[in-house]
Each structure stands twice: as structure tokens, then as C-alpha cells.
């Protein structure tokens, strides 16, 4: 998710979720996960008001509107004037307030009061700077005319000072008195219509840092956000301030806005990032961001002097308040492992060895390299005897005539980082993964006598720690403590619990007991047990120590500095939510959201639950359980997916542990059975079963009847088959007879056709002869000297003409065509370009007539018949080798 560097406003809803105006989006944070809701890609969001978890008003550059939550999504609904206001479209909406059920937006030129669907514009007298809500009233300051109060839609003057108006950035009230805050000219109190300067310990410093934002806190202090030096928290009654800047934890020193959440902690919108400050946290951090001092290993305060041991050296400051901003003097460079006060004297464990420290003077105590810690050793006849673990074993130091003598003790050659001396003067040395040694000391021989070794396997964990609690030697392993019983020479085991760390070192500091491992620091007193969650991942490995500054404050080394614990500043657990917020309960398949008590279709039996405990500034571990199942393993995940749930009623439970107490929430829901497992479905199954039985009985009866019917049908079919075979034989015989008859008829037709042709041929010859006779009669009549009588001549001519006729010829053509009709149809289908004369020629050729025989039938010469035959061959697409007559004869 891409976050913008700048954030301008922060608010919180009734469930504890945090909303941040960040660039072109609104960020939503539940303590673990972030959600980004885009508003307008072209405009930077400047202000927010969270009416409730479903309705968030926002103001941006040239744009203002509402984010409305619908199921799991947010939609943006712009706000507009009823009449188009072009100027309003390009304004920057810097503040958003809610008062008297109305939303008020402030720009540099106007106030916009949103009354339902009506937006009333109230113009600035000159130019507005900022607006702020004080005791349920809206105040706004004008650069030229000072501070005004909004009453309904009117601006009522409050205070004006020509020398300050341009500098005023806000007003607030403390104990009923109006406090005017300026950027670089300090704070003023309004008294008798006059502004009186308010002085406090860092007035000049705050003015120089330039105040940009402010907030009246719930305890009547004022938080001042500056441009160049972070946050100042001002107590006007005491006139004191507390400064939090980049040196002690902030990401950036420019604070654009401040918000106090419902746990009284502060959220800072910075020029680069967002910071969360636990005002009620018992921890205050001091970081060396510039690497001037290095990683802290030990801190001791002696009188007015404070000593700081780091990986870079031993430093001293005479400032009463220990702070990295102090002036530190380097006494010796190099790695400092420890600083301890033993019998009111200060000793330093250094990489080069052991040193005695008095004021600013260091005295080397021996020649052995490295020193881890120092313990007083009681020896009759000797004063000022100390034992110390070092890189190569254990050393003993004795001060004689104001001079320190150091001796390396024989009998132990390993690094003795953790060393304790019991009430019987025995020396105990722990090697974390090996075990615990118990020695007695032969001081004259400068030798350790091994009395016992207790391996790690004697305890229940994989590593151990060694502590001295009161006068008792205590070994911790896993989540148990083992207290040595000198009288019985054994260890008494007891449970310390998982909430005090894994194999922690234990320190008794007045009425407090401290438990430290590499991941956890826990403080226990008679009233409470507090885990300092914020220190997780900040502790220096194996630097398991806590250093008292005074009765109230303790120092814990952390990377790049140290943390200061204040006994009086404990979190108010009553203000912390007791219920875990279930943010979403949705179907994996459809994305549909459900509420508690929902009856969910079986088709959506894969469900995802998102939840959170909105506690900020620490990591929360969760456990889940479905119905009466065992609680799951601890996890920081805030999402759980339930797959393939069967029908039934469910209770999904979530719990989280905070400061030793469990917060728990639950979500009830039901999975409906699939349609095939509903009561109606079971009734249907019963009906279907009965129907099946009835059907089986009916089918069996049907099959029996069908079998009888089949047998009868088969018998009938056999008879029918026999009858059909008989009919077929009879038909075949009849068919053969018909074929024979047809063949005979065809032969007869062919014979008749030939006869007919011959007759036609005879008739044609007869007509020729008669025509010749007529022509001869006419010729004789014309040439004879003696002519026939006219009547006789004409009658003779008529008689000859009467017998010259084409009727036989036409009748022949008609009958010929009818007898060859089927032949014509086949030819026309195959060769549609043939004429009637072509068809008749084909018929004559099929009868195997010669050209001479065909010529008189067509009334043309034999040469013309040959020409027609040639043309016919082309129309029939015949080659030179194809026999026309044979092809026509073969055509059936």
C-alpha cells in the first residue's frame, strides 16, 4: 500500500479505529492492519470528522464530501452547494467540525455550514487562518480582524490585536480562561478584554520552534506541535514543558496536527509519517540518533552525577535530568559492559578490565581483560573485597592501602558473565546453555574449589539464567524458577508463568520485581503486573539489567539510547477496550458480509473473519476457537478463514491477552443445510423411496406383460415373416413375369416402331410418286395438242392431290414422339441444349437407321443428315473415337 509522506488530520471512531487524512486517501488503522480508501486522485485530503464507523466527512483541496461504508466497501459522496459555486470548487477545506448536528467546513475564505442538504456559506472578514472547537463552540481567527466565535450563521468578535492577529493559530480554554496561541509570539491569556503574555520554562524555545498545531489534553495540559522541534506538552499551572522530538523518538520534527484518542494517547500527523505517543505509558525514550554516545549498556546516578556506559565509552554529565541532549564528558573510550554501585562505591566493567570510579577519576583494579559485574565478598580480616566475572574466568579484587590488587582465580577458565555470591559466601556462575557452577573460594591460594555443577538437563528448558533475589540464589529455566535450598542442598521448583518471560533474570528493586529476557521486560508490584510491550525488539541482546535512578525511575538499556520507566505513570486499564472488534465476517466465495446471528447458505460455507483489538503501540497476539474446540496457537494474524463448514450452529470466539488479562469477543452464526439435506428434502426422499418401490413393482408387472407380449409378437413376427417371404417369392415371380412381359413388349414396340417407320417411308415414297404423276399430267396437258376437257382435267388433278397428304406423316411424328417420350426426357435432362429435331434425330439413330433412311423422315437430304449428326456429336460432347449410334442405343 502506497502511503503519502504527509498526513494532515487524525480522528477515531466509536470502535477505536484510527482514520488519517493522508494524501489522496483516507487511511484506516486497527492497531495491526491498514486499509486505504481513495477519495480523489487529484486532491490532497486536509481534514476529517468521523461521525461514526460508517460515515466519515473529509475536506480536501477543492473537494469535500462523505465516505459512506456499505458492507466491506466505502463510497465517496461529494458535497455541493445547491447553486453552482465556482469559487468553492477550488478552495482548500482545512478544518472539519461537528457541532449542533451540523458539519462545518473551514477554508481560507469561507465557513460552510452543512445543514442537511443545504450548505450555508459564511465569508471571512478578510481571510481565515484556522478554526477550532472549544467547549462545543466554533472559533475562527481572521488574519486581519482577530478571533471570532460562530453563533448560528453569524461571526461574533472575541478578541483582536493588530500586533498578533497574523500570528494567532488557535484559542483554547484552561479553567474557564481563554488562551490565545500564536506561532512565534508565544501564548496569551484573555483577561478583561486584554491579552496578557503567558510565560513558562521553555517559552523562548517554543517560540523559536514556531507553533503550527495545538490540542488541549484531557488533563488540562496543552500539546503544542512545532515546525522545527517536535512536540511540547505544557502544564500551565506548573509552567513546565516536556519536549518530545526526533532525538527521543519522533520520525519528524514538523507536527501538522495532534489528536488524543480515547485511551488518552496522542497521535501526531507529521510532515513525514504518523507517530503514536503513549502519554499514559510508564516509558519515556531517549535516543541517540546521531551516534554521538552509542548503544547504552548501563546507567548509574550518584549524587548530582550521572554515568552512562555505552559501546563507545564511559560518559558523565552533571545535569540532574538524564537526557541525550545533555553535555556529556567522555572519561574513557571503548566498550563499557556494566556500571555497578556496590557498598556505595561505583565500579565499571570495561573491555580493558575492571575500574573503580570516584567522581571523574578511574582507577584500574587489575590486569585481567574484560569485566562483567561486581559482587561484594565477605572475608574475615579483609575489607573492600570484590569478585567479578571476566572474559576468561573470575577475578578477585582487594583494596590495600588505597591501592587495588587483582588476582585471576584458578579453577575456572570460561567467561563468567553472570556471577552471584550467596549468604554462605559461595560463588555461583551460570553458563546459559551449559549449566550452573557452585564454587567456594580459597582466598590464600587464589583458587576456586568446585563444589557442584548443575547441568541444563537438571532443569526443564534449553537455557538458564541466574539471579539473586533477596538472599536466595534463583535459577530460571523455561517458565519456572528454581530456588536453592542451602539446608537441603537442592532446588525448589515453582512456576513463574509465561507472562514473565522465558528463563528471565530477576531483579528485586525496592517493592518491585523485574523480569527480563531478550524479548520481554515485566514489572510486578503488589498491585499489578505490567509487561512493557514497547520494549520488544529494542532490547540489547544479553544486556539483561535494570538500573535505578531513584525511587520512581528506572533505566532499561535499548538500542541507540535508553528507556526510562516511571512508576507513577501506569496505563489506566479501565480506559482500554475489553472487547475485540470483529471488523468483517464475509463469504470467501461471494464476498457478502454477515452480522452476528446470520443464517448463512450452505453454498457460502467458506467464511473469513477479520478482527482486531484496537490497542496501539504494541503487538497483540490472538487465539481463536470454534464452538467448544481448544484455543488455537497464539498468532499476531488478525484474520481467520473457516473452510467447508457443515450445517449447524456455531460460535466463533477470539481472545487476546493484554497486560495479563484476556479480552474476548464472539460471533454467533448458523450454516443452513444444503437443499438436499433439508427436512423438506428428507420428506421428498421418503416419497421418492415409496415411489421407487411402487415403480419397481409396477415395472416387474410391466416386464412380465411385456415379456408375454414379446413372445406373442415374436410368434406373430415369425408368421408374418413366413407370409412376407411367401409374398416376396410370389412378388418375385410376378416381377419376373412382368419383366418378361416388359421385355416382350419392348421388343414388340421396337418392331412396331420399325414397321411404323417403314410405313412412313412407304407413304413418303407414295407422295413422291403421286406428285410426280400430277406433275406429269400437268406437263402432258400443257404439251398435248389435244387437251383433256377442263372438268376431267381438274377432277383428275384433285383426285391426285387428295391422296397427296401429310396426315400420315404428322400422325407418324406424333406416335413416334409418344413412343420415345421417356428417351427424350432422359436426353433433355442430360443435354438441355438439344432441340426437338435433335431429339428426333437421336431416336432415328437409336433405331440404327442410316442417313439415307433418316433423310426422307426429316424431309432433308442425306448430306444434311450427316451435317446434323456432326452437330449432334458436338452437343453431346463426343470425341472422335466415340460411336454416336452405339451411345444412343445404350442410353436407357
Amino acid at each position: 500500500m502506497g502511503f503519502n509522506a504527509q498526513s494532515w488530520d487524525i480522528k477515531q471512531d466509536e470502535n477505536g479505529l484510527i482514520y488519517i487524512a493522508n494524501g489522496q486517501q483516507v487511511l484506516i488503522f486497527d492497531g495491526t492492519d491498514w486499509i486505504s480508501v481513495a477519495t480523489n486522485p487529484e486532491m490532497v485530503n486536509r481534514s476529517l470528522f468521523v461521525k461514526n464507523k460508517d460515515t466519515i466527512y473529509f475536506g480536501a483541496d477543492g473537494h469535500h464530501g462523505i465516505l459512506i461504508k456499505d458492507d466491506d466497501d466505502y463510497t465517496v459522496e461529494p458535497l455541493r452547494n445547491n447553486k453552482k459555486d465556482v469559487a468553492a470548487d477550488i478552495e482548500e477545506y482545512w478544518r472539519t467540525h461537528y457541532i449542533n448536528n451540523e458539519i462545518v467546513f473551514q477554508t481560507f475564505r469561507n465557513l460552510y455550514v452543512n445543514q442537511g442538504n443545504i450548505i450555508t456559506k459564511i465569508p471571512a472578514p478578510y481571510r481565515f487562518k484556522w478554526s477550532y472547537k472549544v467547549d462545543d463552540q466554533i472559533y475562527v481567527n481572521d488574519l486581519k480582524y482577530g478571533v471570532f466565535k460562530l453563533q448560528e450563521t453569524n461571526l461574533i468578535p472575541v478578541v483582536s490585536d493588530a500586533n498578533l492577529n497574523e500570528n494567532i493559530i488557535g484559542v483554547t480554554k484552561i479553567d474557564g480562561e481563554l488562551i490565545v496561541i500564536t506561532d512565534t509570539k508565544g501564548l496569551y491569556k484573555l483577561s478583561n478584554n486584554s491579552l496578557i503574555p503567558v510565560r513558562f520554562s521553555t517559552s523562548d524555545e517554543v517560540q523559536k520552534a514556531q507553533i503550527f498545531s495545538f490540542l488541549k489534553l484531557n488533563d488540562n495540559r496543552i500539546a503544542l506541535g512545532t515546525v522545527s522541534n517536535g512536540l511540547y506538552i505544557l502544564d500551565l499551572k506548573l509552567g513546565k514543558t516536556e519536549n518530545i522530538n526526533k532525538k527521543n523518538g519522533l520520525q519528524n520534527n514538523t507536527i501538522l496536527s495532534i489528536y488524543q484518542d480515547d485511551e488518552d494517547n496522542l497521535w501526531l500527523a507529521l510532515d513525514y509519517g504518523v507517530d503514536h505517543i503513549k502519554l499514559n505509558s510508564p516509558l519515556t525514550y531517549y535516543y541517540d540518533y546521531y551516534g554521538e554516545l552509542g548503544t547504552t549498556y548501563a546507567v548509574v546516578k550518584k549524587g548530582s552525577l550521572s554515568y552512562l556506559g555505552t559501546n563507545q565509552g564511559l560518559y558523565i554529565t552533571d545535569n540532574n535530568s538524564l537526557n541525550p541532549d545533555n553535555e556529556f564528558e567522555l572519561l574513557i573510550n571503548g566498550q563499557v559492559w556494566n556500571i555497578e554501585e556496590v557498598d556505595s562505591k561505583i565500579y565499571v566493567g570495561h573491555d580493558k578490565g575492571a575500574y573503580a570510579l570516584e567522581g571523574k577519576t578511574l582507577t584500574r583494579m587489575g590486569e585481567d581483560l574484560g569485566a562483567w559485574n561486581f559482587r561484594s565478598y565477605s572475608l574475615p580480616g579483609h575489607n573492600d573485597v570484590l569478585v567479578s566475572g571476566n572474559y576468561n574466568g573470575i577475578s578477585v579484587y582487594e583494596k590495600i592501602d588505597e591501592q587495588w590488587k587483582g588476582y585471576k582465580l584458578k579453577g575456572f577458565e570460561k567467561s563468567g558473565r553472570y556471577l552471584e555470591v550467596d549468604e554462605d559466601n559461595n560463588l555461583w556462575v551460570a553458563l546459559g546453555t551449559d549449566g550452573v557452577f557452585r564454587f567456594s573460594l580459597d582466598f590464600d591460594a587464589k583458587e576456586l574449589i568446585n563444589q557442584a555443577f548443575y547441568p541444563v538437563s537438571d532443569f526443564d528448558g534449553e537455557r538458564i539464567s541466574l539471579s539473586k533475589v533477596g538472599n536466595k540464589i534463583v535459577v530460571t529455566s523455561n517458565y519456572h524458577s528454581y530456588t536453592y535450598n542451602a539446608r537441603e542442598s537442592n532446588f525448589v521448583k515453582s512456576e513463574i508463568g509465561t507472562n514473565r518471560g522465558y528463563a528471565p533474570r530477576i531483579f528485586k528493586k525496592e517493592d518491585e520485581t523485574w523480569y527480563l529476557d531478550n524479548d520481554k521486560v515485566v514489572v510486578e508490584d503488589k498491585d499489578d503486573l505490567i509487561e512493557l510491550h514497547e520494549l520488544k525488539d529494542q532490547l540489547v541482546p544479553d544486556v539483561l539489567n535494570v538500573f535505578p535512578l531513584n525511587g520512581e525511575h528506572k533505566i532499561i538499556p535499548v538500542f541507540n539510547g535508553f528507556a526510562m520507566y516511571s512508576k507513577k505513570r501506569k496505563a489506566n486499564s479501565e480506559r482500554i477496550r475489553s472487547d475485540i472488534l470483529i471488523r468483517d465476517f464475509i463469504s470467501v466465495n461471494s464476498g457478502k458480509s454477515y452480522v452476528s446471528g446470520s443464517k448463512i447458505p450452505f453454498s457460502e460455507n467458506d467464511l473469513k473473519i477479520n478482527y482486531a483489538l484496537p490497542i496501539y503501540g504494541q503487538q497483540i497476539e490472538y487465539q481463536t476457537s470454534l464452538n467448544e474446540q481448544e484455543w488455537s496457537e497464539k498468532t499476531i494474524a488478525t484474520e481467520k478463514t473457516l473452510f467447508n463448514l457443515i450445517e449447524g450452529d456455531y460460535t466463533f470466539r477470539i481472545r487476546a491477552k493484554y497486560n495479563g488479562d484476556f479480552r474476548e469477543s464472539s460471533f454467533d452464526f448458523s450454516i443452513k443445510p444444503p437443499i438436499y439435506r433439508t427436512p423438506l428434502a428428507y420428506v421428498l426422499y421418503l416419497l421418492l423411496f415409496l415411489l421407487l418401490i411402487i415403480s419397481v413393482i409396477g415395472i416387474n408387472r410391466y416386464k412380465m406383460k411385456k415379456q408375454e407380449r414379446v413372445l406373442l409378437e415374436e410368434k406373430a413376427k415369425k408368421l408374418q415373416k413366413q407370409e412376407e417371404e411367401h409374398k416376396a417369392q410370389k412378388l418375385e415371380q410376378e416381377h419376373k413375369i412382368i419383366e418378361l412381359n416388359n421385355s416382350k413388349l419392348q421388343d414388340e414396340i421396337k418392331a412396331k416402331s420399325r414397321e411404323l417407320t417403314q410405313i412412313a417411308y412407304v407413304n413418303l415414297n407414295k407422295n413422291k410418286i403421286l406428285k410426280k404423276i400430277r406433275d406429269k399430267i400437268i406437263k402432258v396437258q400443257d404439251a398435248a395438242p389435244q387437251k383433256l376437257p377442263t372438268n376431267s382435267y381438274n377432277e383428275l388433278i384433285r383426285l391426285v392431290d387428295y391422296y397427296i397428304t401429310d396426315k400420315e406423316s404428322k400422325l407418324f411424328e406424333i406416335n413416334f414422339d409418344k413412343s420415345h417420350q421417356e428417351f427424350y426426357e432422359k436426353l433433355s435432362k442430360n443435354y438441355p441444349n438439344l432441340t426437338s429435331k435433335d431429339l428426333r434425330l437421336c431416336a432415328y439413330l437409336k433405331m440404327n437407321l442410316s442417313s439415307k433412311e433418316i433423310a426422307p423422315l426429316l424431309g432433308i437430304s442425306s448430306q444434311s443428315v450427316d451435317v446434323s449428326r456432326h452437330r449432334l456429336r458436338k452437343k453431346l460432347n463426343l470425341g472422335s473415337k466415340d460411336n454416336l449410334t452405339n451411345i444412343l442405343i445404350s442410353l436407357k
Side-chain angles (χ1 to χ4, degrees):
M1 185 182 299
F3 294 164
N4 197 278
Q6 282 185 333
S7 296
W8 284 98
D9 200 6
I10 302 175
K11 292 294 187 292
Q12 187 176 35
D13 71 13
E14 67 273 24
N15 289 327
L17 301 184
I18 293 295
Y19 298 77
I20 302 172
N22 176 264
Q24 295 80 29
Q25 61 198 337
V26 173
L27 304 178
I28 306 173
F29 184 47
D30 64 10
T32 303
D33 296 321
W34 293 88
I35 294 174
S36 172
V37 182
T39 54
N40 190 306
E42 304 298 329
M43 300 175 183
V44 175
N45 293 314
R46 303 292 188 181
S47 60
L48 291 173
F49 173 74
V50 179
K51 186 175 182 181
N52 53 53
K53 63 183 178 62
D54 299 322
T55 306
I56 299 97
Y57 290 84
F58 68 92
D61 296 345
H63 184 65
H64 64 314
I66 313 174
L67 289 179
I68 299 176
K69 187 177 183 183
D70 183 14
D71 290 334
D72 194 33
D73 296 323
Y74 287 87
T75 57
V76 178
E77 181 179 312
L79 291 173
R80 295 281 183 185
N81 289 327
N82 290 336
K83 296 181 180 180
K84 182 66 176 176
D85 189 342
V86 177
D89 285 346
I90 58 174
E91 291 190 85
E92 297 175 345
Y93 294 81
W94 282 96
R95 295 289 187 267
T96 304
H97 308 286
Y98 185 73
I99 186 168
N100 298 327
N101 296 318
E102 298 173 348
I103 295 293
V104 179
F105 293 96
Q106 178 245 313
T107 72
F108 291 143
R109 294 199 301 267
N110 299 287
L111 289 177
Y112 293 94
V113 182
N114 185 4
Q115 301 166 309
N117 295 324
I118 300 173
I119 298 178
T120 302
K121 181 171 72 172
I122 303 171
Y126 172 67
R127 179 180 174 87
F128 289 139
K129 190 167 187 178
W130 304 126
S131 60
Y132 11 86
K133 184 177 178 182
V134 181
D135 294 340
D136 292 326
Q137 289 183 313
I138 299 297
Y139 288 77
V140 60
N141 63 286
D142 186 88
L143 291 175
K144 189 173 183 180
Y145 298 105
V147 179
F148 293 83
K149 181 169 60 176
L150 178 66
Q151 286 187 355
E152 296 181 350
T153 57
N154 299 313
L155 292 176
I156 308 300
V158 175
V159 62
S160 179
D161 187 319
N163 295 322
L164 296 178
N165 287 341
E166 287 190 359
N167 300 100
I168 295 173
I169 61 102
V171 299
T172 188
K173 282 186 178 181
I174 302 295
D175 296 330
E177 292 184 319
L178 193 69
I179 305 298
V180 177
I181 302 169
T182 71
D183 49 11
T184 58
K185 294 185 178 182
L187 276 63
Y188 294 83
K189 181 170 62 175
L190 181 64
S191 178
N192 297 323
N193 295 323
S194 297
L195 292 176
I196 301 172
V198 176
R199 299 296 298 175
F200 48 92
S201 60
T202 56
S203 294
D204 296 337
E205 182 182 321
V206 171
Q207 292 177 33
K208 184 179 179 181
Q210 188 178 343
I211 301 173
F212 185 85
S213 57
F214 75 97
L215 180 70
K216 176 188 172 183
L217 304 182
N218 293 332
D219 60 3
N220 267 354
R221 292 186 295 170
I222 303 175
L224 303 172
T226 69
V227 173
S228 61
N229 200 30
L231 180 74
Y232 289 86
I233 299 177
L234 168 63
D235 188 329
L236 284 179
K237 288 184 177 180
L238 300 177
K240 294 182 179 180
T241 60
E242 179 183 348
N243 180 218
I244 303 173
N245 55 25
K246 194 170 182 180
K247 288 186 177 181
N248 48 16
L250 294 188
Q251 299 178 78
N252 185 269
N253 274 338
T254 301
I255 300 174
L256 303 179
S257 70
I258 308 168
Y259 178 75
Q260 188 169 27
D261 65 20
D262 56 13
E263 294 178 25
D264 287 343
N265 296 315
L266 292 187
W267 293 82
L268 308 180
L270 307 176
D271 193 50
Y272 186 86
V274 173
D275 276 339
H276 175 248
I277 299 176
K278 297 192 71 172
L279 285 184
N280 52 16
S281 171
L283 291 173
T284 303
Y285 296 95
Y286 299 91
Y287 292 111
D288 174 31
Y289 282 104
Y290 303 106
E292 296 175 355
L293 302 177
T295 300
T296 302
Y297 279 75
V299 176
V300 168
K301 185 174 177 61
K302 182 72 171 176
S304 63
L305 299 178
S306 295
Y307 300 97
L308 186 68
T310 76
N311 66 326
Q312 295 183 15
L314 177 66
Y315 298 88
I316 185 173
T317 180
D318 57 3
N319 193 310
N320 283 327
S321 62
L322 187 62
N323 191 307
D325 289 338
N326 297 344
E327 292 292 330
F328 283 90
E329 180 183 349
L330 178 64
L331 298 182
I332 183 174
N333 59 15
Q335 174 71 59
V336 174
W337 296 115
N338 201 359
I339 308 173
E340 290 193 284
E341 185 175 1
V342 180
D343 298 332
S344 300
K345 297 179 180 178
I346 306 297
Y347 301 94
V348 178
H350 192 275
D351 176 60
K352 296 178 181 178
Y355 290 85
L357 174 62
E358 188 170 352
K360 297 182 180 181
T361 303
L362 283 168
T363 303
R364 182 77 179 269
M365 299 170 66
E367 300 299 324
D368 297 324
L369 293 178
W372 298 117
N373 59 356
F374 300 90
R375 295 293 180 264
S376 177
Y377 189 81
S378 178
L379 190 66
H382 298 268
N383 297 320
D384 296 328
V385 178
L386 298 175
V387 290
S388 173
N390 56 51
Y391 292 166
N392 301 305
I394 299 173
S395 297
V396 62
Y397 303 99
E398 183 179 17
K399 190 175 184 180
I400 303 174
D401 297 332
E402 302 301 319
Q403 298 292 321
W404 282 99
K405 301 289 185 180
Y407 309 95
K408 171 71 171 61
L409 298 176
K410 296 178 288 186
F412 186 74
E413 303 297 330
K414 298 181 180 180
S415 176
R417 183 163 195 148
Y418 301 112
L419 169 69
E420 299 292 348
V421 178
D422 66 20
E423 56 188 348
D424 294 324
N425 240 15
N426 294 313
L427 277 65
W428 294 77
V429 183
L431 302 179
T433 57
D434 292 337
V436 183
F437 293 88
R438 179 163 56 91
F439 299 105
S440 61
L441 172 60
D442 184 341
F443 185 79
D444 294 333
K446 303 301 185 289
E447 182 177 5
L448 293 171
I449 301 171
N450 188 1
Q451 292 185 341
F453 173 67
Y454 306 95
V456 169
S457 57
D458 286 357
F459 309 97
D460 63 346
E462 296 179 353
R463 58 168 295 166
I464 59 171
S465 291
L466 178 67
S467 305
K468 186 177 181 181
V469 182
N471 291 323
K472 300 293 184 180
I473 296 297
V474 178
V475 175
T476 56
S477 180
N478 204 334
Y479 302 108
H480 293 89
S481 67
Y482 298 81
T483 303
Y484 184 69
N485 185 335
R487 183 175 299 177
E488 301 294 334
S489 299
N490 62 8
F491 287 94
V492 178
K493 179 181 178 181
S494 62
E495 185 173 351
I496 59 175
T498 58
N499 54 351
R500 291 174 174 82
Y502 182 87
R505 288 197 77 195
I506 304 174
F507 299 90
K508 190 72 174 175
K509 304 292 183 182
E510 299 174 347
D511 62 341
E512 297 174 340
T513 303
W514 289 70
Y515 300 85
L516 293 89
D517 67 15
N518 281 336
D519 297 312
K520 183 181 291 189
V521 176
V522 176
V523 186
E524 184 177 18
D525 59 21
K526 60 183 178 60
D527 298 322
D528 205 356
L529 182 143
I530 300 173
E531 180 182 346
L532 305 179
H533 298 276
E534 300 95 317
L535 293 175
K536 185 176 177 62
D537 300 325
Q538 296 195 74
L539 299 172
V540 182
D542 296 324
V543 181
L544 307 180
N545 215 335
V546 57
F547 301 91
L549 281 187
N550 49 51
E552 181 182 346
H553 297 100
K554 309 291 188 302
I555 296 293
I556 304 104
V558 298
F559 284 113
N560 297 323
F562 56 88
M564 181 182 294
Y565 171 81
S566 177
K567 183 178 179 179
K568 292 183 178 179
R569 291 170 60 183
K570 291 185 180 180
N572 184 0
S573 59
E574 294 179 358
R575 300 291 297 274
I576 298 174
R577 286 175 186 79
S578 59
D579 294 332
I580 297 174
L581 172 64
I582 296 178
R583 299 193 63 183
D584 292 303
F585 192 87
I586 61 176
S587 165
V588 174
N589 299 325
S590 68
K592 182 179 179 181
S593 294
Y594 292 99
V595 297
S596 183
S598 295
K599 297 184 182 298
I600 301 171
F602 187 80
S603 60
E604 299 190 353
N605 64 344
D606 293 338
L607 298 167
K608 182 170 67 174
I609 306 100
N610 292 308
Y611 45 83
L613 181 60
I615 295 176
Y616 301 95
Q618 66 184 67
Q619 192 176 79
I620 303 295
E621 292 183 324
Y622 299 90
Q623 291 177 289
T624 61
S625 172
L626 188 62
N627 288 348
E628 298 302 321
Q629 296 176 359
E630 294 290 330
W631 288 103
S632 66
E633 295 293 327
K634 292 180 181 178
T635 176
I636 61 172
T638 58
E639 179 180 293
K640 179 74 173 180
T641 303
L642 307 173
F643 291 104
N644 297 321
L645 296 177
I646 63 173
E647 64 268 22
D649 297 328
Y650 292 91
T651 297
F652 179 79
R653 296 183 296 154
I654 319 105
R655 72 178 185 182
K657 200 169 188 179
Y658 178 76
N659 277 349
D661 297 325
F662 281 107
R663 267 73 173 170
E664 185 172 328
S665 290
S666 63
F667 188 96
D668 297 323
F669 64 97
S670 299
I671 299 292
K672 295 180 182 179
I675 191 170
Y676 54 84
R677 285 207 292 264
T678 59
L680 181 62
Y682 287 118
V683 172
L684 181 61
Y685 297 151
L686 179 60
L687 293 176
L688 291 174
F689 180 70
L690 294 175
L691 182 61
L692 179 62
I693 293 174
I694 295 171
S695 299
V696 170
I697 295 172
I699 289 171
N700 287 335
R701 290 180 179 175
Y702 172 76
K703 285 183 176 180
M704 291 176 66
K705 290 181 179 180
K706 184 178 180 181
Q707 191 172 5
E708 292 177 1
R709 188 167 59 250
V710 168
L711 291 174
L712 291 174
E713 287 177 354
E714 287 180 353
K715 187 175 181 180
K717 285 181 180 179
K718 286 181 180 179
L719 293 174
Q720 185 179 0
K721 187 176 181 181
Q722 291 175 358
E723 184 178 355
E724 288 176 351
E725 288 177 353
H726 176 71
K727 286 181 179 179
Q729 291 174 359
K730 186 176 179 181
L731 287 172
E732 187 177 357
Q733 291 174 357
E734 290 176 354
H735 183 66
K736 287 180 178 178
I737 293 170
I738 290 170
E739 285 183 349
L740 291 173
N741 291 336
N742 287 340
S743 177
K744 186 177 180 181
L745 288 173
Q746 291 293 334
D747 292 342
E748 288 178 356
I749 290 170
K750 290 179 180 179
K752 293 293 183 180
S753 295
R754 195 159 188 85
E755 280 181 26
L756 184 61
T757 302
Q758 289 173 353
I759 292 170
Y761 187 72
V762 170
N763 286 334
L764 290 172
N765 287 335
K766 179 198 75 169
N767 285 339
K768 275 186 178 183
I769 293 170
L770 288 175
K771 286 180 180 179
K772 285 181 179 181
I773 292 172
R774 188 186 63 176
D775 293 339
K776 194 71 176 176
I777 291 172
I778 293 170
K779 188 176 182 182
V780 171
Q781 179 71 8
D782 291 338
Q786 183 73 32
K787 292 182 172 56
L788 289 173
T790 301
N791 290 336
S792 299
Y793 171 76
N794 288 338
E795 184 177 357
L796 181 63
I797 293 298
R798 280 196 303 272
L799 180 63
V800 173
D801 285 337
Y802 176 78
Y803 285 101
I804 299 172
T805 178
D806 290 332
K807 288 182 180 180
E808 292 83 354
S809 174
K810 290 180 180 179
L811 184 61
F812 165 75
E813 289 178 359
I814 292 170
N815 290 331
F816 185 84
D817 289 342
K818 285 182 178 180
S819 63
H820 290 86
Q821 186 63 36
E822 184 177 355
F823 175 71
Y824 288 167
E825 289 177 356
K826 289 184 179 180
L827 276 175
S828 297
K829 184 177 181 180
N830 294 331
Y831 306 100
N833 58 341
L834 297 179
T835 64
S836 59
K837 288 184 179 181
D838 293 332
L839 294 174
R840 193 171 289 117
L841 175 60
C842 291
Y844 291 147
L845 292 173
K846 181 176 176 66
M847 295 172 62
N848 203 18
L849 300 179
S850 65
S851 295
K852 290 182 179 181
E853 293 173 323
I854 294 171
L857 295 175
L858 294 177
I860 58 176
S861 64
S862 60
Q863 289 83 1
S864 296
V865 172
D866 290 336
V867 172
S868 296
R869 285 168 66 107
H870 180 71
R871 290 174 178 170
L872 182 60
R873 289 179 65 86
K874 287 184 176 181
K875 289 183 178 183
L876 297 181
N877 298 321
L878 299 181
S880 59
K881 295 182 180 181
D882 295 327
N883 188 297
L884 176 61
T885 302
N886 291 340
I887 289 173
L888 292 173
I889 291 173
S890 65
L891 185 64
K892 296 182 180 180

